[in-house]
Amino acid sequence: MFQAPKGTYDVLPGSAFLAVRDGLLEPARLAGYGYVEAPVFEDTELFARGVGASTDVVSKEMYSFTDRGGRSLTLRPEGTAGVVRAVLEHNLHKGQLPVKVRYAGPMFRAERPQAGRYRQFQQSGVEAIGLTDPALDAEVVALAWEAFQRLGLRQVRLLMTSLGDPACRPAYREELTAYLAGLDLDEATQERARINPLRVLDDKRPELQALLTSAPLMVDRLCADCKAHHEAVAAGLEALGVPFERAPRLVRGLDYYMRTTFEFLHDGLGAQSAVGGGGRYDGLSESVGGPPLPGIGWALGIERTLLALEAEGVTVPADSGVQVFVVPLGVAAKAWAVGFVGQLRARGIASDLAYGDRGLKGAMKAADRSRARWAVVVGDRDLDGSVAQLKDLTNGEQTAVPLTDLLEHLS
Ligand code: AMP
């Protein structure tokens, strides 16, 4: 027997997967973010240049392959690079700005699987491209916050900081590098400091954090423009009623972020506590060969959002249930039932019937399992009398309803 590959999983009927995937994007839809879908694989170079060749995502985790035409392609590890590529390719940035889009779909990273961490996982995301307006940053962050609230999550925390820009980050990076050089760091950490010193700040080990208490912080070294932007985003979030914590040591795993950077954490998830994250990526377009084109966006993890809902005991209805279950007893009744569920479905009423010509007992069991609200039981004799037995499956009450009234009744 085959099994799903390591680090993957199957979504099965009864899961709230779809409701979460789409629910996370509902506030964005209401805010004018159009739906886009980019391919699941792109040129490997797009990610190497867009996400950053030195990141773990690109250097260690990409699923890359050579296709039959000798091209190097990669299963997308994240959504932003492909969306920016699509915007540029179709000249959307030459129309109305910002270009606001939303997307959802699978991402692929060859990580070590564990609870909440998969090799194929799903994200819902948005991007707002073309403007550097702090009010837009606040909108984008608020859309994710609202999405979690709407699903019923109450234990999500928003962390936010600014990572500066090309005007102020290089000098800060040098200062931090010099500071880290003065510490007694193990070799692996020294190596990380060489690749990206900012990431050392985000190290969770307490002994390292103890060494870093007096490390210089980016937020204290922002240039005037970055500082003004950062405070305007904070004011915007306050005006929108979105609570956030300032997190001066927050760094994310993708190189393209600058200025506004944020993460959503859920405390009920253990080690993999990030349910989403994002930020501003004003240099991304240029790094993939496009014109200067600022942007900001986020991606929320669907599996971890499902785990967070479970941790908080929130149920989101799955979409696979039916409201009405029809139980035909006899040949003529079955023919009628097939037509009747067709009429119900045409009216938008989810309905099913007992297939397999089982007896009453088996068919009623099927009705119970369907978790429908109503069962319609019809024998050939009922048909002759032009009635059906309508049973309320919540309390077992049964009434005879004339067939001519049944559709209206259930509607
Ligand atoms: P990132 O694209 O790394 O900024 O991640 C955004 C969100 O996607 C994270 O906060 C997680 O919720 C989710 N995520 C990232 N990597 C994985 C993974 N390997 N498995 C499951 N969810 C993930």
Side-chain angles (χ1 to χ4, degrees), residues 109 111 116-118 121 123 252 274-277 299 301 303-304:
R109 295 181 198 173
E111 297 192 87
R117 193 158 78 188
Y118 301 93
F121 59 98
Q123 291 182 334
R252 310 209 56 254
V275 286
E303 299 81 9
R304 289 188 202 170

Side-chain angles (χ1 to χ4, degrees), residues 7 9 57 61 77-80 103 107-124 148 252-254 256-257 262-265 269 272-278 298-305:
Y9 63 92
V57 167
E61 298 170 359
E78 57 89 59
T80 304
Y103 65 85
M107 307 294 159
F108 305 85
R109 295 181 198 173
E111 297 192 87
R112 198 166 48 77
Q114 62 184 87
R117 193 158 78 188
Y118 301 93
R119 292 182 169 173
Q120 175 173 342
F121 59 98
Q122 301 259 350
Q123 291 182 334
S124 291
F148 288 128
R252 310 209 56 254
L254 314 173
Y256 49 56
Y257 289 118
F262 51 92
E263 197 152 71
F264 294 93
L265 299 184
L269 295 189
Q272 304 303 317
S273 61
V275 286
W298 45 248
L300 312 181
I302 296 174
E303 299 81 9
R304 289 188 202 170
T305 303

Side-chain angles (χ1 to χ4, degrees), residues 34-110:
Y35 185 72
V36 295
E37 201 155 307
V40 162
F41 55 81
E42 299 265 5
D43 269 327
T44 298
E45 267 304 291
L46 176 71
F47 300 117
R49 290 204 236 156
V51 178
S54 75
T55 58
D56 281 356
V57 167
V58 170
S59 65
K60 300 182 189 154
E61 298 170 359
M62 292 214 297
Y63 283 100
S64 300
F65 61 97
T66 306
D67 77 356
R68 288 160 202 274
R71 288 166 286 254
S72 177
L73 298 172
T74 293
L75 298 181
R76 62 181 181 196
E78 57 89 59
T80 304
V83 169
V84 168
R85 195 265 313 133
V87 165
L88 294 172
E89 184 171 334
H90 301 287
N91 285 318
L92 302 188
H93 60 298
K94 294 187 177 154
Q96 169 85 2
L97 296 178
V99 178
K100 289 177 163 189
V101 295
R102 66 186 206 277
Y103 65 85
M107 307 294 159
F108 305 85
R109 295 181 198 173

